[in-house]
């Protein structure tokens, strides 16, 4: 539902919010948890505006908001966003509307001064995980990714029979979800080399990234109570970028018959700012499928989803090698696509997750699965770009190439939305660097 | 390591601790979280002794323990056992030794009176989940279960190539782990009937139980730091019974390629009392494998594990139909086996889980996977007992039979240990009843 907070002409008295190509104009207002660098003050909720963070704890203390917006601000100021997510859509919207009024260009001068005193430069803060991740589920909902992977492992029949009938998912590891900027060691583990009879133990030799979006559950559900598709959308709080780092050699040896485990659970990175479903409203598209595909079963179908269930979120991945970093280069864009190609919508994923009565808690994290688009250059993992390691992926900035990730490689995900008649808003970035194995 | 707390001749002044066939003699001392029925007092830690619960909050207040035992008791008295598990083995042992001295038959009369004031009958309490489950992993480590399942789905090649090389596992859903006695509704979901081209939505038609043990992580680990096998044992706090309820029709439709999800995550039941590794010390056995099987890779091999890595825990499953319950009958024992047949040890499972640096948190729950023994009557799931539904499983108590679970069926797991020269200790029970689908 579009309202005054989506007006593309709106501006803020925070000058950097109007920066060309910036991620955080007044139409965005994403939530995160930050700590002041070098301060002993506890981490707390903030909102990104331009190159600043609006400190919600200070703002709550200033009492410049009123009623439900003030109440929501007090909760969002906490050490994680779980409690704020639990409040539900009316509270989220009240706070968004309140913050917009305080930050817009024509806010009264007295209010403006009070709010300006609550701003801290993003350069002076350390971002934390936005939530305490209690449960993490990863879906598998890009048909192009599923086809690319299927073509590598079973080219005669690449797409599993269930793919077009349900949003496939598996449980991931909550404890190893980290915030962007957390580096990790190349994992050790077991893999069976091609053609070998026995496996070997050693550092991962086929390390990969996965370009995904993460989404957060707002109000939870009770065990035994399925969520109707028509109710699912209002349970979604917002989205972030997610990199589901993968050890392909370990994964493909271990996953028969119960799926990925150690090939995934050594590290999952997410971006620190959560872009709300409210902010994403202008970038919705109709849900379309080829006429030859099966119609969703009724529990996965609703008029609202057909009307605008898809989100057009632009995505890109940069790979910055150690050499590029030493030379002060940003690295190379190795893939770019949009979430609009995804086969299932985020609301369908939530409905599927709860169809059997599985309960959701506020702040639960879900991944969309790797997001690959319809053409070869839109693949969301290096194993797809390199066709299982067969083709080198060029890195023109330094003249290097990659079949899988090397030590020192940084992978940087970015996402943003642009539509005619709407502002440009962005997700910031999600990055991590591969450190050498410790084993 | 055996000590005075394992002396099979030891007795307690709590008379019911000496009941023949009882689960909770003084050699056991399992931990749990209980609430007084009808009381507003908060749930807190307790220890089972005979038919009583020793209230650790009252005991801590009575200050009849000293030094590390008193300190540990204060932590174990909390609303969950996570913090107590985080303390580590010296603290756990100090409290066990202290409790044993207070409860043994020749404890001084003054101490005895103080401790007696902290006892409440088990009949008057409600048991809660022993921990806040932050992460739940389920292994797949019974070779007999794997063969039984493999024979149903791919009889030419029933055992996957990786089974004898690593303890296979997948992540489960933490939010839907419930304590014994919590009933649940038959799940709704999608399945493809045999021979059909398209799936259908409806109540599960192949509902099953899985006989498992659960084990709890004590002190956690840091991300990136693998646990050596020789260090894994001291990180284990204890074990419980676990029933990984399974919707086989939903599971087998959804699990290709990423493993089980909705087929499992609607409900997982655990028994409320956690039997400590310390209490289980007398029931260890050497780790033996057929000479034709591969030796474990070095990171999964250690002299201590070979010497006594296995646990001889006797297990049984009873099925009590609604008809049996109406007639006041306990139902039928439909399977019985021992954990000693398991292919991988619990310490090997922990070492495998962390080999890639995946971090563990105190109180994390792991399931062993279904425990099936070498003969047909020792299968730990009804899908194995009924050969995929082909053979009816008789229920002689009522003259009924089952291929899968029906509404109203209660499944009751029990476990206990007996060895020459050691006391008999037990796990209590883990039970749940199938309620009709809500859909």
């Amino acid at each position: 539902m579009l309202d005054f907070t989506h007006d593309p002409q709106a501006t803020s008295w925070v000058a950097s919010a109007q920066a060309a190509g910036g991620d955080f104009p007044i139409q965005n207002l994403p939530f995160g948890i930050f700590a002041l660098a070098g301060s002993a003050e506890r981490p707390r909720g903030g909102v990104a505006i331009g190159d600043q963070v609006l400190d919600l704890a200070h703002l709550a203390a200033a009492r410049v908001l009123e009623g439900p917006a003030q109440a929501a601000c007090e909760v969002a100021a906490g050490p994680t966003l779980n409690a704020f997510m639990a409040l539900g859509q009316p509270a989220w919207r009240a706070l968004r509307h309140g913050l917009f009024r305080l930050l817009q260009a024509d806010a009264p001068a007295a209010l403006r001064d009070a709010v300006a005193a609550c701003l801290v430069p993003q350069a002076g803060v350390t971002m934390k995980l936005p939530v305490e991740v209690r449960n993490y589920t990863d879906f598998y909902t890009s048909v192009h990714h599923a086809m690319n992977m299927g073509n590598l492992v079973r080219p005669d029949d690449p797409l599993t029979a269930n793919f077009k009938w349900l949003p496939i998912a598996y449980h991931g590891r909550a404890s190893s979800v980290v915030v962007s900027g957390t580096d990790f060691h190349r994992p050790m583990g077991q893999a069976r080399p091609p053609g070998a009879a026995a496996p070997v133990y050693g550092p991962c030799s086929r390390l990969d990234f996965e370009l995904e979006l993460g989404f957060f559950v707002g109000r939870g559900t009770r065990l035994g109570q399925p969520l109707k598709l028509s109710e699912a959308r209002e349970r979604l709080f917002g989205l972030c970028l997610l990199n589901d780092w993968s050890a392909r050699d370990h994964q493909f040896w271990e996953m028969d018959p119960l799926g990925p485990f150690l090939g995934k659970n050594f590290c999952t990175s997410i971006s620190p700012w959560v872009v709300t479903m409210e902010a994403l409203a202008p970038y919705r598209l109709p849900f379309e499928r080829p006429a030859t595909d099966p119609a969703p079963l009724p529990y996965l179908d609703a008029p609202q989803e057909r009307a605008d269930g898809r989100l057009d979120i632009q995505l890109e991945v940069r790979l910055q090698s150690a050499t590029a970093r030493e030379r002060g280069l940003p690295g190379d864009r190795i893939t770019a696509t949009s979430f609009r190609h995804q086969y299932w919508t985020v609301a369908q994923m939530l409905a599927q997750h709860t169809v059997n009565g599985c309960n959701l808690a506020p702040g639960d994290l879900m991944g969309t699965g790797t997001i690959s688009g319809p053409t070869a250059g839109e693949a969301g993992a290096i194993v797809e770009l390199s066709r299982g390691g067969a083709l080198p992926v060029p890195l023109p900035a330094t003249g290097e190439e990659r079949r899988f990730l090397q030590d020192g490689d940084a992978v940087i995900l970015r996402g943003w939305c642009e539509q005619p008649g709407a502002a440009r808003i962005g997700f910031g970035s999600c990055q991590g660097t591969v450190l050498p194995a410790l084993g």
Side-chain angles (χ1 to χ4, degrees), chain A:
Chain A
M1 193 168 64
L2 299 189
D3 60 34
F4 63 98
T5 67
H6 301 100
D7 177 0
Q9 307 306 324
T11 56
S12 171
W13 51 263
V14 179
S16 59
Q18 279 76 247
D23 281 341
F24 306 123
I26 192 167
Q27 293 85 358
N28 194 349
L29 304 177
F31 289 83
I33 297 292
F34 74 99
L36 290 174
S39 158
E41 288 183 63
R42 71 161 173 74
R44 53 188 182 264
V47 167
I49 178 79
D51 60 7
Q52 305 288 304
V53 180
L54 178 56
D55 181 331
L56 295 179
H58 286 190
L59 190 72
R63 306 199 69 83
V64 289
L65 291 163
E66 290 173 352
Q70 172 68 19
C73 185
E74 289 168 12
V75 177
T80 69
L81 293 175
N82 299 77
F84 177 54
M85 292 182 184
L87 293 181
Q89 208 176 48
W92 309 332
R93 186 171 290 161
L95 183 52
R96 176 179 169 88
H97 287 186
L99 294 174
F100 187 95
R101 291 194 179 98
L102 293 177
L103 290 165
Q104 64 188 341
D106 58 359
L111 280 182
R112 208 196 268 207
D113 290 346
V115 176
C118 303
L119 293 175
V120 285
Q122 283 175 31
V125 307
T126 305
M127 297 305 297
K128 306 290 184 180
L129 280 178
V131 297
E132 181 196 5
V133 183
R134 292 171 190 155
N135 301 281
Y136 164 47
T137 296
D138 199 17
F139 281 84
Y140 183 74
T141 58
S142 160
V143 69
H144 306 294
H145 170 65
M147 286 295 290
N148 291 345
M149 295 301 281
N151 276 321
L152 290 177
V153 295
R154 46 179 179 196
D156 327 336
D157 184 20
L159 201 66
T160 57
N162 51 12
F163 188 92
K164 293 185 174 181
W165 291 100
L166 55 82
I168 295 171
Y170 67 103
H171 293 296
R173 179 83 189 173
S175 71
S176 51
V177 176
V178 301
V179 73
S180 174
T182 308
D183 302 334
F184 66 92
H185 293 278
R186 177 181 296 272
M188 302 294 290
Q190 230 186 84
R192 189 170 62 172
V200 295
Y201 164 81
C204 168
S205 64
R206 295 165 76 91
L207 187 62
D208 203 351
F209 65 86
E210 287 191 340
L211 167 64
E212 302 194 20
L213 288 163
F215 53 103
F216 293 94
V217 173
R219 273 201 305 134
T221 64
R222 282 184 301 117
L223 192 62
Q225 293 295 321
L227 211 50
K228 288 198 186 81
L229 180 58
S230 58
E231 306 163 330
R233 205 181 280 191
E234 70 182 39
R235 300 289 176 134
L236 285 163
F237 177 77
L239 274 72
C240 67
L241 302 165
L242 185 150
N243 184 345
D244 183 27
W245 304 93
S246 297
R248 301 292 181 196
D249 47 346
H250 302 164
Q251 178 190 342
F252 282 95
W253 170 235
E254 77 181 347
M255 73 186 281
D256 187 12
L258 297 181
F261 181 59
L262 298 171
K264 301 281 193 174
N265 69 11
F266 55 93
C267 190
T268 304
S269 303
I270 63 173
S271 58
W273 293 110
V274 184
V275 176
T276 62
M277 298 311 294
E278 197 84 5
L280 292 167
Y283 316 100
R284 289 186 166 277
L285 295 175
F287 177 70
E288 286 162 1
R289 284 190 179 174
T292 50
D293 281 1
L297 292 177
Y299 80 95
L300 291 172
D301 201 2
Q304 180 77 58
E305 283 307 288
R306 290 180 178 249
D308 64 358
R310 285 192 181 169
L311 292 164
D312 188 16
I313 300 172
Q314 311 294 317
L315 297 160
E316 70 161 33
V317 179
R318 298 188 81 82
L319 195 158
Q320 184 194 46
S321 68
T323 303
R325 202 157 47 252
E326 281 158 21
R327 296 187 194 163
L329 301 170
D332 295 282
R333 187 162 95 160
I334 57 171
T335 199
T337 188
S338 165
F339 186 54
R340 73 172 179 271
H341 303 298
Q342 210 76 352
Y343 199 82
W344 296 99
T345 72
V346 286
Q348 284 172 322
M349 296 182 218
L350 268 201
Q352 177 69 11
H353 203 313
T354 61
V355 65
N356 66 346
C358 180
N359 54 333
L360 305 176
D364 280 357
L365 174 65
M366 317 259 161
T368 57
T370 304
I371 300 167
S372 297
T375 67
E378 293 179 83
I382 206 165
V383 71
E384 296 172 62
L385 294 169
S386 72
R387 309 285 167 89
L391 297 177
V393 177
L395 303 178
T398 54
E400 298 171 280
E401 57 184 36
R402 289 288 182 276
R403 290 162 202 262
F404 289 98
L405 297 178
Q406 293 191 2
D407 292 348
D409 285 351
V411 176
I412 303 133
L413 316 185
R414 284 203 171 80
W416 65 94
C417 299
E418 305 180 280
Q419 285 290 327
R424 180 199 186 279
I425 65 170
F427 284 75
S429 74
C430 175
Q431 48 191 300
T433 301
V434 181
L435 305 176
L438 285 173

